[in-house]
Amino acid sequence: MFAYELHQVRHTELVAEAAAQRLAREARKAAREAARSRSHDPEGRVSPDRRRFARAA
């Protein structure tokens, strides 16, 4: 009976750890997506470097 109780406690700990890791992974993913959307902002600053484009004829 004692071994079964230890097993149940360990199982509960593992389930809680998995939930915490899942939450952390989702938070990292959301942060990456937020950073990516900020970097692709269509209203962003225009680069003043005119050498970037070739001259027209």
Side-chain angles (χ1 to χ4, degrees):
M1 187 73 162
F2 183 68
Y4 178 74
E5 291 172 356
L6 286 177
H7 171 73
Q8 288 296 99
V9 168
R10 181 67 178 141
H11 173 74
T12 304
E13 290 173 348
L14 289 174
V15 168
E17 183 179 347
Q21 288 178 357
R22 188 178 313 111
L23 182 63
R25 183 174 55 246
E26 291 172 357
R28 283 192 306 268
K29 182 180 177 184
R32 279 195 310 268
E33 289 176 358
R36 184 171 48 218
S37 69
R38 281 192 305 268
S39 67
H40 295 309
D41 186 14
E43 300 289 328
R45 179 190 286 205
V46 176
S47 174
D49 187 12
R50 293 186 176 265
R51 295 173 294 166
R52 211 170 176 185
F53 300 101
R55 291 182 58 136

